[in-house]
Amino acid sequence: MTYDPTGHLLLTPVDHEAPARVRRLRELGLGEQPDPAFDEFAHRLAEVTGAPFSMVNFIDENRQFFAGLHTPAGSHSGTDLGANAGGVGRFMARDHGYCPHVVVRRKALVLEDVCDYPRFAGNPVVDEIGIRSYMGAPLIDRTGVALGTICVVDTDVRPWGRAGLETIKAMAAELVEQIHRREDGMF
């Protein structure tokens, strides 16, 4: 986390790996369009965690792209997430949400109540979308690049606990294996 020249706290971490990530995503053909397999994975992730919203998220230098998306309405548009902001859709600015932190940290992040953490409570998704809890894990592929994340969010506080942390990490590893099988032509 850094400060800008005017002394304001920047909520989005500096991401030095972004150019390598973009190259790797292009090699894999990921991060540019919705993917039915990732939508299905996001649906299963929501079922396993009991979360109303789940995403398979690839991040470049400027934005986040939800290649897989599950919402309570069962749609893949994201329009039922954040009625105040008119919905999120498949794209989100890089300075919104918590996945950019997970990618830079390269570690899972569990926020049972985002308002308990001053560093995260000021994120635009709190006021604009109403996010109150988050759980995400990085998708680190065989080349060592953090491609993005899988995550679940809720508009209510959620006691994810250690079980939630272990689940999100295991499911991230499962999706990375699926991506590797796809790359190897076995998918």
mmCIF file of all heavy atoms in Angstrom, residues 21 25 28-33 35 38 55-61 63-68 90-92 99 103 139 146-150 175 179 182:
data_model
loop_
_atom_site.group_PDB
_atom_site.id
_atom_site.type_symbol
_atom_site.label_atom_id
_atom_site.label_comp_id
_atom_site.label_asym_id
_atom_site.label_seq_id
_atom_site.Cartn_x
_atom_site.Cartn_y
_atom_site.Cartn_z
ATOM 1 N N ARG A 21 1.424 -10.872 -15.710
ATOM 2 C CA ARG A 21 0.099 -11.495 -15.613
ATOM 3 C C ARG A 21 -0.665 -11.338 -16.919
ATOM 4 O O ARG A 21 -1.266 -12.283 -17.425
ATOM 5 C CB ARG A 21 -0.706 -10.892 -14.467
ATOM 6 C CG ARG A 21 -2.116 -11.469 -14.372
ATOM 7 C CD ARG A 21 -2.949 -10.905 -13.241
ATOM 8 N NE ARG A 21 -2.182 -10.821 -12.015
ATOM 9 C CZ ARG A 21 -1.673 -9.695 -11.514
ATOM 10 N NH1 ARG A 21 -1.910 -8.539 -12.108
ATOM 11 N NH2 ARG A 21 -0.963 -9.708 -10.416
ATOM 12 N N LEU A 25 -2.064 -14.338 -19.136
ATOM 13 C CA LEU A 25 -3.493 -14.466 -19.425
ATOM 14 C C LEU A 25 -3.734 -14.542 -20.932
ATOM 15 O O LEU A 25 -4.560 -15.328 -21.392
ATOM 16 C CB LEU A 25 -4.277 -13.306 -18.814
ATOM 17 C CG LEU A 25 -4.414 -13.328 -17.295
ATOM 18 C CD1 LEU A 25 -4.998 -12.013 -16.784
ATOM 19 C CD2 LEU A 25 -5.270 -14.517 -16.842
ATOM 20 N N LEU A 28 -2.901 -17.921 -22.257
ATOM 21 C CA LEU A 28 -3.926 -18.899 -21.884
ATOM 22 C C LEU A 28 -5.282 -18.598 -22.506
ATOM 23 O O LEU A 28 -6.210 -19.414 -22.398
ATOM 24 C CB LEU A 28 -4.067 -18.947 -20.352
ATOM 25 C CG LEU A 28 -2.852 -19.448 -19.588
ATOM 26 C CD1 LEU A 28 -3.013 -19.188 -18.095
ATOM 27 C CD2 LEU A 28 -2.638 -20.930 -19.863
ATOM 28 N N GLY A 29 -5.420 -17.440 -23.127
ATOM 29 C CA GLY A 29 -6.699 -17.047 -23.707
ATOM 30 C C GLY A 29 -7.752 -16.745 -22.654
ATOM 31 O O GLY A 29 -8.940 -16.993 -22.867
ATOM 32 N N LEU A 30 -7.316 -16.191 -21.526
ATOM 33 C CA LEU A 30 -8.227 -15.908 -20.410
ATOM 34 C C LEU A 30 -8.351 -14.412 -20.167
ATOM 35 O O LEU A 30 -7.458 -13.647 -20.494
ATOM 36 C CB LEU A 30 -7.713 -16.570 -19.133
ATOM 37 C CG LEU A 30 -7.555 -18.086 -19.161
ATOM 38 C CD1 LEU A 30 -6.904 -18.567 -17.873
ATOM 39 C CD2 LEU A 30 -8.899 -18.747 -19.385
ATOM 40 N N GLY A 31 -9.460 -14.034 -19.563
ATOM 41 C CA GLY A 31 -9.627 -12.675 -19.095
ATOM 42 C C GLY A 31 -10.240 -11.704 -20.073
ATOM 43 O O GLY A 31 -10.309 -10.511 -19.791
ATOM 44 N N GLU A 32 -10.709 -12.206 -21.208
ATOM 45 C CA GLU A 32 -11.288 -11.316 -22.201
ATOM 46 C C GLU A 32 -12.774 -11.549 -22.431
ATOM 47 O O GLU A 32 -13.459 -10.674 -22.930
ATOM 48 C CB GLU A 32 -10.556 -11.479 -23.540
ATOM 49 C CG GLU A 32 -9.113 -11.046 -23.495
ATOM 50 C CD GLU A 32 -8.962 -9.544 -23.372
ATOM 51 O OE1 GLU A 32 -9.754 -8.794 -23.982
ATOM 52 O OE2 GLU A 32 -8.048 -9.108 -22.647
ATOM 53 N N GLN A 33 -13.253 -12.758 -22.102
ATOM 54 C CA GLN A 33 -14.660 -13.050 -22.354
ATOM 55 C C GLN A 33 -15.191 -14.012 -21.298
ATOM 56 O O GLN A 33 -14.424 -14.758 -20.702
ATOM 57 C CB GLN A 33 -14.854 -13.633 -23.749
ATOM 58 C CG GLN A 33 -14.083 -14.906 -23.981
ATOM 59 C CD GLN A 33 -14.111 -15.318 -25.449
ATOM 60 O OE1 GLN A 33 -14.626 -14.599 -26.287
ATOM 61 N NE2 GLN A 33 -13.570 -16.459 -25.743
ATOM 62 N N ASP A 35 -16.763 -17.250 -19.619
ATOM 63 C CA ASP A 35 -16.479 -18.643 -19.929
ATOM 64 C C ASP A 35 -17.503 -19.513 -19.199
ATOM 65 O O ASP A 35 -17.572 -19.468 -17.967
ATOM 66 C CB ASP A 35 -15.062 -18.969 -19.464
ATOM 67 C CG ASP A 35 -14.614 -20.347 -19.864
ATOM 68 O OD1 ASP A 35 -15.344 -21.326 -19.607
ATOM 69 O OD2 ASP A 35 -13.512 -20.454 -20.421
ATOM 70 N N PHE A 38 -16.205 -21.458 -16.278
ATOM 71 C CA PHE A 38 -15.931 -20.636 -15.104
ATOM 72 C C PHE A 38 -17.226 -20.185 -14.435
ATOM 73 O O PHE A 38 -17.282 -20.050 -13.210
ATOM 74 C CB PHE A 38 -15.048 -19.445 -15.454
ATOM 75 C CG PHE A 38 -13.653 -19.831 -15.885
ATOM 76 C CD1 PHE A 38 -12.957 -19.036 -16.762
ATOM 77 C CD2 PHE A 38 -13.036 -20.985 -15.422
ATOM 78 C CE1 PHE A 38 -11.662 -19.361 -17.166
ATOM 79 C CE2 PHE A 38 -11.747 -21.330 -15.808
ATOM 80 C CZ PHE A 38 -11.061 -20.516 -16.687
ATOM 81 N N MET A 55 -17.201 -15.299 -7.857
ATOM 82 C CA MET A 55 -16.551 -14.907 -9.092
ATOM 83 C C MET A 55 -15.258 -15.666 -9.333
ATOM 84 O O MET A 55 -14.574 -16.055 -8.398
ATOM 85 C CB MET A 55 -16.181 -13.406 -9.067
ATOM 86 C CG MET A 55 -17.341 -12.458 -8.962
ATOM 87 S SD MET A 55 -17.705 -12.138 -7.239
ATOM 88 C CE MET A 55 -18.737 -10.714 -7.350
ATOM 89 N N VAL A 56 -14.944 -15.846 -10.610
ATOM 90 C CA VAL A 56 -13.619 -16.223 -11.081
ATOM 91 C C VAL A 56 -13.122 -14.948 -11.746
ATOM 92 O O VAL A 56 -13.690 -14.494 -12.736
ATOM 93 C CB VAL A 56 -13.668 -17.392 -12.088
ATOM 94 C CG1 VAL A 56 -12.279 -17.641 -12.679
ATOM 95 C CG2 VAL A 56 -14.229 -18.644 -11.435
ATOM 96 N N ASN A 57 -12.088 -14.356 -11.173
ATOM 97 C CA ASN A 57 -11.699 -13.002 -11.509
ATOM 98 C C ASN A 57 -10.265 -12.954 -12.039
ATOM 99 O O ASN A 57 -9.339 -13.390 -11.362
ATOM 100 C CB ASN A 57 -11.823 -12.149 -10.235
ATOM 101 C CG ASN A 57 -11.566 -10.694 -10.454
ATOM 102 O OD1 ASN A 57 -11.472 -10.218 -11.575
ATOM 103 N ND2 ASN A 57 -11.432 -9.969 -9.364
ATOM 104 N N PHE A 58 -10.098 -12.404 -13.250
ATOM 105 C CA PHE A 58 -8.769 -12.183 -13.814
ATOM 106 C C PHE A 58 -8.509 -10.684 -13.826
ATOM 107 O O PHE A 58 -9.384 -9.888 -14.160
ATOM 108 C CB PHE A 58 -8.674 -12.776 -15.217
ATOM 109 C CG PHE A 58 -8.861 -14.268 -15.219
ATOM 110 C CD1 PHE A 58 -9.964 -14.845 -15.819
ATOM 111 C CD2 PHE A 58 -7.952 -15.101 -14.579
ATOM 112 C CE1 PHE A 58 -10.150 -16.221 -15.813
ATOM 113 C CE2 PHE A 58 -8.136 -16.478 -14.554
ATOM 114 C CZ PHE A 58 -9.234 -17.033 -15.178
ATOM 115 N N ILE A 59 -7.290 -10.294 -13.453
ATOM 116 C CA ILE A 59 -6.974 -8.887 -13.213
ATOM 117 C C ILE A 59 -5.826 -8.447 -14.107
ATOM 118 O O ILE A 59 -4.776 -9.090 -14.155
ATOM 119 C CB ILE A 59 -6.591 -8.684 -11.728
ATOM 120 C CG1 ILE A 59 -7.756 -9.147 -10.843
ATOM 121 C CG2 ILE A 59 -6.216 -7.233 -11.459
ATOM 122 C CD1 ILE A 59 -7.427 -9.181 -9.369
ATOM 123 N N ASP A 60 -6.045 -7.326 -14.821
ATOM 124 C CA ASP A 60 -4.944 -6.754 -15.583
ATOM 125 C C ASP A 60 -4.516 -5.438 -14.930
ATOM 126 O O ASP A 60 -4.822 -5.205 -13.760
ATOM 127 C CB ASP A 60 -5.301 -6.611 -17.071
ATOM 128 C CG ASP A 60 -6.409 -5.602 -17.357
ATOM 129 O OD1 ASP A 60 -6.682 -4.712 -16.523
ATOM 130 O OD2 ASP A 60 -7.008 -5.695 -18.450
ATOM 131 N N GLU A 61 -3.839 -4.576 -15.673
ATOM 132 C CA GLU A 61 -3.331 -3.342 -15.072
ATOM 133 C C GLU A 61 -4.427 -2.362 -14.681
ATOM 134 O O GLU A 61 -4.230 -1.534 -13.794
ATOM 135 C CB GLU A 61 -2.376 -2.610 -16.036
ATOM 136 C CG GLU A 61 -1.112 -3.355 -16.345
ATOM 137 C CD GLU A 61 -1.176 -4.024 -17.718
ATOM 138 O OE1 GLU A 61 -2.280 -4.426 -18.140
ATOM 139 O OE2 GLU A 61 -0.124 -4.160 -18.348
ATOM 140 N N ARG A 63 -8.220 -3.184 -14.804
ATOM 141 C CA ARG A 63 -9.556 -3.649 -14.445
ATOM 142 C C ARG A 63 -9.534 -5.097 -13.977
ATOM 143 O O ARG A 63 -8.546 -5.804 -14.117
ATOM 144 C CB ARG A 63 -10.499 -3.522 -15.633
ATOM 145 C CG ARG A 63 -10.129 -4.480 -16.753
ATOM 146 C CD ARG A 63 -11.054 -4.403 -17.908
ATOM 147 N NE ARG A 63 -10.716 -5.506 -18.811
ATOM 148 C CZ ARG A 63 -11.282 -5.727 -19.953
ATOM 149 N NH1 ARG A 63 -12.219 -4.922 -20.380
ATOM 150 N NH2 ARG A 63 -10.924 -6.742 -20.696
ATOM 151 N N GLN A 64 -10.678 -5.475 -13.468
ATOM 152 C CA GLN A 64 -10.927 -6.861 -13.095
ATOM 153 C C GLN A 64 -12.010 -7.380 -14.039
ATOM 154 O O GLN A 64 -12.945 -6.649 -14.372
ATOM 155 C CB GLN A 64 -11.431 -6.936 -11.665
ATOM 156 C CG GLN A 64 -10.475 -6.314 -10.665
ATOM 157 C CD GLN A 64 -11.055 -6.305 -9.283
ATOM 158 O OE1 GLN A 64 -11.242 -7.360 -8.685
ATOM 159 N NE2 GLN A 64 -11.348 -5.126 -8.760
ATOM 160 N N PHE A 65 -11.875 -8.623 -14.461
ATOM 161 C CA PHE A 65 -12.863 -9.226 -15.344
ATOM 162 C C PHE A 65 -13.354 -10.521 -14.732
ATOM 163 O O PHE A 65 -12.558 -11.413 -14.431
ATOM 164 C CB PHE A 65 -12.276 -9.513 -16.725
ATOM 165 C CG PHE A 65 -13.251 -10.197 -17.621
ATOM 166 C CD1 PHE A 65 -14.370 -9.529 -18.095
ATOM 167 C CD2 PHE A 65 -13.068 -11.524 -17.976
ATOM 168 C CE1 PHE A 65 -15.289 -10.168 -18.894
ATOM 169 C CE2 PHE A 65 -13.979 -12.169 -18.777
ATOM 170 C CZ PHE A 65 -15.097 -11.493 -19.244
ATOM 171 N N PHE A 66 -14.657 -10.625 -14.527
ATOM 172 C CA PHE A 66 -15.258 -11.818 -13.956
ATOM 173 C C PHE A 66 -15.574 -12.804 -15.077
ATOM 174 O O PHE A 66 -16.666 -12.790 -15.643
ATOM 175 C CB PHE A 66 -16.512 -11.458 -13.154
ATOM 176 C CG PHE A 66 -16.271 -10.443 -12.085
ATOM 177 C CD1 PHE A 66 -17.056 -9.313 -11.983
ATOM 178 C CD2 PHE A 66 -15.233 -10.609 -11.169
ATOM 179 C CE1 PHE A 66 -16.839 -8.370 -10.987
ATOM 180 C CE2 PHE A 66 -15.003 -9.673 -10.170
ATOM 181 C CZ PHE A 66 -15.809 -8.550 -10.089
ATOM 182 N N ALA A 67 -14.609 -13.662 -15.383
ATOM 183 C CA ALA A 67 -14.812 -14.675 -16.425
ATOM 184 C C ALA A 67 -15.817 -15.716 -15.971
ATOM 185 O O ALA A 67 -16.454 -16.373 -16.784
ATOM 186 C CB ALA A 67 -13.481 -15.333 -16.787
ATOM 187 N N GLY A 68 -15.947 -15.874 -14.662
ATOM 188 C CA GLY A 68 -16.972 -16.718 -14.067
ATOM 189 C C GLY A 68 -17.723 -15.897 -13.042
ATOM 190 O O GLY A 68 -17.116 -15.171 -12.263
ATOM 191 N N ARG A 90 -19.716 -7.732 -15.601
ATOM 192 C CA ARG A 90 -18.529 -8.587 -15.676
ATOM 193 C C ARG A 90 -17.233 -7.836 -15.407
ATOM 194 O O ARG A 90 -16.192 -8.457 -15.219
ATOM 195 C CB ARG A 90 -18.438 -9.229 -17.058
ATOM 196 C CG ARG A 90 -19.519 -10.230 -17.362
ATOM 197 C CD ARG A 90 -19.131 -11.590 -16.851
ATOM 198 N NE ARG A 90 -20.138 -12.581 -17.207
ATOM 199 C CZ ARG A 90 -19.986 -13.863 -17.031
ATOM 200 N NH1 ARG A 90 -18.877 -14.345 -16.517
ATOM 201 N NH2 ARG A 90 -20.932 -14.706 -17.362
ATOM 202 N N PHE A 91 -17.252 -6.514 -15.417
ATOM 203 C CA PHE A 91 -16.039 -5.716 -15.237
ATOM 204 C C PHE A 91 -16.130 -4.888 -13.971
ATOM 205 O O PHE A 91 -17.194 -4.450 -13.581
ATOM 206 C CB PHE A 91 -15.832 -4.761 -16.420
ATOM 207 C CG PHE A 91 -15.615 -5.456 -17.719
ATOM 208 C CD1 PHE A 91 -16.684 -5.699 -18.576
ATOM 209 C CD2 PHE A 91 -14.358 -5.887 -18.086
ATOM 210 C CE1 PHE A 91 -16.494 -6.343 -19.777
ATOM 211 C CE2 PHE A 91 -14.157 -6.540 -19.290
ATOM 212 C CZ PHE A 91 -15.230 -6.773 -20.143
ATOM 213 N N MET A 92 -14.973 -4.673 -13.364
ATOM 214 C CA MET A 92 -14.895 -3.792 -12.203
ATOM 215 C C MET A 92 -13.547 -3.080 -12.259
ATOM 216 O O MET A 92 -12.538 -3.670 -12.657
ATOM 217 C CB MET A 92 -15.009 -4.592 -10.899
ATOM 218 C CG MET A 92 -15.043 -3.725 -9.658
ATOM 219 S SD MET A 92 -15.170 -4.685 -8.131
ATOM 220 C CE MET A 92 -16.874 -5.182 -8.197
ATOM 221 N N CYS A 99 -9.953 -8.277 -4.442
ATOM 222 C CA CYS A 99 -9.150 -9.225 -5.217
ATOM 223 C C CYS A 99 -7.773 -8.680 -5.599
ATOM 224 O O CYS A 99 -6.801 -9.436 -5.574
ATOM 225 C CB CYS A 99 -9.920 -9.694 -6.451
ATOM 226 S SG CYS A 99 -11.322 -10.778 -6.046
ATOM 227 N N VAL A 103 -4.228 -10.781 -5.074
ATOM 228 C CA VAL A 103 -3.257 -11.062 -6.131
ATOM 229 C C VAL A 103 -1.873 -10.560 -5.741
ATOM 230 O O VAL A 103 -0.878 -11.264 -5.903
ATOM 231 C CB VAL A 103 -3.725 -10.451 -7.474
ATOM 232 C CG1 VAL A 103 -2.609 -10.412 -8.487
ATOM 233 C CG2 VAL A 103 -4.899 -11.243 -8.017
ATOM 234 N N LEU A 139 -5.176 -17.377 -7.741
ATOM 235 C CA LEU A 139 -5.002 -18.457 -8.722
ATOM 236 C C LEU A 139 -3.568 -18.355 -9.236
ATOM 237 O O LEU A 139 -3.284 -17.589 -10.151
ATOM 238 C CB LEU A 139 -6.000 -18.294 -9.875
ATOM 239 C CG LEU A 139 -7.470 -18.337 -9.489
ATOM 240 C CD1 LEU A 139 -8.349 -17.915 -10.667
ATOM 241 C CD2 LEU A 139 -7.847 -19.714 -8.974
ATOM 242 N N ALA A 146 0.358 -15.056 -10.510
ATOM 243 C CA ALA A 146 -0.977 -14.986 -9.923
ATOM 244 C C ALA A 146 -1.905 -14.426 -10.997
ATOM 245 O O ALA A 146 -1.881 -13.233 -11.294
ATOM 246 C CB ALA A 146 -0.974 -14.106 -8.682
ATOM 247 N N LEU A 147 -2.702 -15.299 -11.604
ATOM 248 C CA LEU A 147 -3.559 -14.922 -12.730
ATOM 249 C C LEU A 147 -4.744 -14.070 -12.294
ATOM 250 O O LEU A 147 -5.245 -13.252 -13.059
ATOM 251 C CB LEU A 147 -4.101 -16.174 -13.419
ATOM 252 C CG LEU A 147 -3.077 -17.165 -13.949
ATOM 253 C CD1 LEU A 147 -3.769 -18.428 -14.427
ATOM 254 C CD2 LEU A 147 -2.257 -16.519 -15.049
ATOM 255 N N GLY A 148 -5.214 -14.316 -11.106
ATOM 256 C CA GLY A 148 -6.402 -13.639 -10.595
ATOM 257 C C GLY A 148 -6.826 -14.308 -9.315
ATOM 258 O O GLY A 148 -5.978 -14.800 -8.556
ATOM 259 N N THR A 149 -8.141 -14.381 -9.096
ATOM 260 C CA THR A 149 -8.656 -14.947 -7.854
ATOM 261 C C THR A 149 -9.957 -15.701 -8.110
ATOM 262 O O THR A 149 -10.576 -15.555 -9.159
ATOM 263 C CB THR A 149 -9.003 -13.833 -6.839
ATOM 264 O OG1 THR A 149 -10.112 -13.080 -7.337
ATOM 265 C CG2 THR A 149 -7.829 -12.925 -6.572
ATOM 266 N N ILE A 150 -10.335 -16.467 -7.106
ATOM 267 C CA ILE A 150 -11.732 -16.841 -6.948
ATOM 268 C C ILE A 150 -12.162 -16.148 -5.674
ATOM 269 O O ILE A 150 -11.351 -15.950 -4.753
ATOM 270 C CB ILE A 150 -11.971 -18.359 -6.866
ATOM 271 C CG1 ILE A 150 -11.253 -18.990 -5.676
ATOM 272 C CG2 ILE A 150 -11.586 -19.028 -8.178
ATOM 273 C CD1 ILE A 150 -11.669 -20.430 -5.388
ATOM 274 N N LEU A 175 -9.301 -25.044 -9.339
ATOM 275 C CA LEU A 175 -9.468 -24.287 -10.575
ATOM 276 C C LEU A 175 -8.141 -24.123 -11.314
ATOM 277 O O LEU A 175 -8.101 -24.185 -12.542
ATOM 278 C CB LEU A 175 -10.103 -22.922 -10.308
ATOM 279 C CG LEU A 175 -10.435 -22.136 -11.576
ATOM 280 C CD1 LEU A 175 -11.401 -22.901 -12.482
ATOM 281 C CD2 LEU A 175 -10.996 -20.769 -11.227
ATOM 282 N N ILE A 179 -7.361 -25.088 -15.175
ATOM 283 C CA ILE A 179 -6.703 -24.210 -16.145
ATOM 284 C C ILE A 179 -5.504 -24.917 -16.765
ATOM 285 O O ILE A 179 -5.274 -24.841 -17.973
ATOM 286 C CB ILE A 179 -6.312 -22.866 -15.486
ATOM 287 C CG1 ILE A 179 -7.578 -22.069 -15.150
ATOM 288 C CG2 ILE A 179 -5.360 -22.067 -16.366
ATOM 289 C CD1 ILE A 179 -7.339 -20.877 -14.239
ATOM 290 N N ARG A 182 -6.655 -27.460 -19.254
ATOM 291 C CA ARG A 182 -7.088 -26.760 -20.468
ATOM 292 C C ARG A 182 -5.868 -26.383 -21.302
ATOM 293 O O ARG A 182 -5.855 -26.568 -22.520
ATOM 294 C CB ARG A 182 -7.869 -25.507 -20.064
ATOM 295 C CG ARG A 182 -8.388 -24.708 -21.233
ATOM 296 C CD ARG A 182 -9.072 -23.450 -20.785
ATOM 297 N NE ARG A 182 -10.332 -23.749 -20.138
ATOM 298 C CZ ARG A 182 -11.276 -22.870 -19.939
ATOM 299 N NH1 ARG A 182 -11.116 -21.615 -20.314
ATOM 300 N NH2 ARG A 182 -12.394 -23.201 -19.332
#
